[in-house]
Amino acid sequence: MPPSPGQRIGDKVMGHIGLNAHLLAGRAGYRSAGIHHYLAHLLRHLPEADPHLRYTLFIGPETDMTALSAPGPGAEGRGADRGWRVNRSRWPTQHPPLRILWEQTALPLAAKGLDLLHGLAFVAPLLAPCPTLVTVYDLSFLRTPERFRRGNRWYLQMFTPWSCRRARRIITISENTRRDLVTLFGIPPERIDVVPPGVSPSFGPLPPDQVAAFRRAKRLPERFVLYLGTLEPRKNLITLLEAFARLRLGVKLVLAGGTGWMFAEVFARVQALGLEGQVVFPGYVPDEELPLWYNAATVFVYPSLYEGFGMPPLEALACGTPVVVSNAAALPEAVGDAGVLVRPDAVDEWAQALERLLDDAALRAELGARGQAHAARFSWERAAAETAAVYHRILEGWE
């Protein structure tokens, strides 16, 4: 049964949307990557995307609202100039089991009176009192289940299919995930909307003297290969290390990012390959430093086995840095014809691609220019507008 429409103004229906954003991180670190990045940028632009919509934002006790560029005093409570109310849970939902319990028990009660509830990360309450929408970033927990913790895998494998089948519509961030939902869950493709992420204007070429000063401050060499992301099995860093060990070009490999799970294998392989002096681990990189890291690198590399989209390669392209990525999952969508694509398990091909780019300055310049043009097609304003359009499709009862 289609939802009861709200008040209509012109050709638009007004609506009150609930946004479950409990995966917004409370502090900088491991949880600040990935989904947090997407949520922060999308929510920052939603209030301006459509004046006919108002929002209640459900967040955890540790969520830092400054990540959304919300106004200072009075941001929580009404926040009328941002177009939302903030509902901060008293439950310690930074702990996954309690977040799951809150999601399925407390959230349905808090959602009464909403016109639509948007589960921004895979799951919506099974007993929601209003129509639901779910965003699914990827189905890696089904495609590469052996690379997930058992509890996390069980939760996603059980609740994501239920949530998707009960939801009025589903948003994915890539055509690849859309195809996976059709293939693995049997979701009709016409119920799935693809809303790719955007690239912040902060990502772009920087003045050479600023980049040189950054290299000096971080003690980085003039030439290096950069990976930036969580250190975990799905990122396929062992293949990258084995390929890098075959290079004889005197460059360093920088593996930047927070540690996920099973990261010890990465450090062990560095030692086994005798790369201790050639591989650098700077740890978690704060958002404000990301453009500098991309600009400072000679080549950016992303060998992941599976991605719902692949933001780091797109950000690197926006900075004019050539990229080499796996030809797996959604990564070809992220880089288009501006990146070098390599089979994720082909160590020789990774070594050859890296050596070719490191040796050929003209090719790097060509790919850098092509990358900037490709990245310019993606904006958070567009992502927010397309998300708001999905809200209206549901509110107006479109099929």
Side-chain angles (χ1 to χ4, degrees):
M1 185 172 75
S4 301
Q7 180 182 355
R8 181 177 292 275
I9 296 181
D11 62 347
K12 290 284 189 177
V13 169
M14 296 186 69
H16 186 182
I17 316 298
L19 302 165
N20 178 12
H22 271 243
L23 285 186
L24 276 172
R27 62 177 70 91
Y30 168 63
R31 290 188 67 205
S32 296
I35 292 176
H36 164 85
H37 180 89
Y38 182 91
L39 295 182
H41 284 280
L42 177 68
L43 295 176
R44 194 176 298 165
H45 290 89
L46 262 181
E48 288 76 35
D50 193 313
H52 299 90
L53 301 174
R54 58 193 178 97
Y55 302 97
T56 291
L57 189 64
F58 297 98
I59 58 174
E62 294 188 343
T63 301
D64 181 5
M65 286 292 290
T66 61
L68 309 184
S69 297
E76 297 193 29
R78 170 54 82 186
D81 55 344
R82 296 294 298 168
W84 57 43
R85 293 182 64 90
V86 174
N87 185 315
R88 187 182 290 273
S89 174
R90 296 181 180 180
W91 293 41
T93 54
Q94 66 272 24
H95 303 294
L98 290 175
R99 187 185 72 248
I100 294 168
L101 183 62
W102 171 87
E103 203 167 55
Q104 297 299 324
T105 59
L107 181 56
L109 296 175
K112 288 183 177 179
L114 296 175
D115 297 309
L116 173 66
L117 178 61
H118 186 176
L120 285 161
F122 300 97
V123 172
L126 301 184
L127 299 177
C130 59
T132 59
L133 166 69
V134 177
T135 294
V136 177
Y137 300 91
D138 61 61
L139 295 185
S140 54
F141 52 89
L142 292 175
R143 290 299 193 189
T144 57
E146 71 282 358
R147 301 178 185 277
F148 277 75
R149 293 186 182 93
R150 182 177 300 175
N152 194 26
R153 182 178 69 229
W154 173 86
Y155 162 68
L156 292 170
Q157 288 179 347
M158 175 174 287
F159 283 93
T160 304
W162 288 350
S163 299
C164 289
R165 291 174 184 133
R166 294 171 65 92
R168 196 60 54 86
R169 299 195 68 79
I170 301 162
I171 288 177
T172 68
I173 60 173
S174 66
E175 288 289 348
N176 183 77
T177 300
R178 183 175 186 264
R179 289 192 296 268
D180 278 353
L181 284 170
V182 173
T183 301
L184 299 177
F185 291 173
I187 305 295
E190 61 271 15
R191 286 181 51 216
I192 306 169
D193 299 283
V194 179
V195 179
V199 179
S200 170
S202 63
F203 293 100
L206 297 174
D209 57 343
Q210 184 180 356
V211 177
F214 177 77
R215 285 199 192 96
R216 289 194 299 271
K218 297 293 183 179
R219 298 182 179 179
L220 294 170
E222 183 69 23
R223 285 160 48 86
F224 66 91
V225 176
L226 173 67
Y227 161 84
L228 202 156
T230 306
L231 307 184
E232 62 182 1
R234 180 163 59 102
K235 302 303 183 178
N236 196 28
L237 297 178
I238 301 304
T239 295
L240 174 60
L241 288 169
E242 292 177 353
F244 183 76
R246 302 185 185 188
L247 301 182
R248 294 294 182 265
L249 297 174
V251 298
K252 289 192 176 182
L253 173 63
V254 175
L255 301 181
T259 53
W261 73 296
M262 291 179 63
F263 61 87
E265 184 181 0
V266 174
F267 298 108
R269 190 58 60 95
V270 168
Q271 292 183 331
L273 292 170
L275 297 174
E276 294 95 328
Q278 296 173 263
V279 181
V280 179
F281 294 93
Y284 169 76
V285 173
D287 286 352
E288 62 270 17
E289 287 187 5
L290 290 174
L292 285 161
W293 282 97
Y294 292 131
N295 273 269
T298 309
V299 176
F300 181 80
V301 64
Y302 209 70
S304 184
L305 295 169
Y306 187 95
E307 293 291 332
F309 186 77
M311 283 305 301
L314 186 60
E315 292 167 349
L317 290 175
C319 294
T321 302
V323 304
V324 185
V325 301
S326 296
N327 64 356
L331 285 169
E333 294 179 54
V335 304
D337 65 353
V340 177
L341 301 176
V342 180
R343 289 182 299 159
D345 58 348
V347 175
D348 284 342
E349 291 181 19
W350 282 99
Q352 291 166 8
L354 287 172
E355 189 160 11
R356 181 185 174 203
L357 273 177
L358 290 166
D359 274 343
D360 193 336
L363 178 59
R364 292 199 304 272
E366 176 189 341
L367 290 176
R370 198 186 300 172
Q372 291 177 62
H374 174 74
R377 304 171 190 168
F378 298 84
S379 75
W380 287 110
E381 290 84 358
R382 176 180 172 180
E386 291 179 355
T387 299
V390 177
Y391 296 158
H392 278 292
R393 293 194 69 178
I394 297 172
L395 293 171
E396 297 173 20
W398 296 4
E399 296 296 333

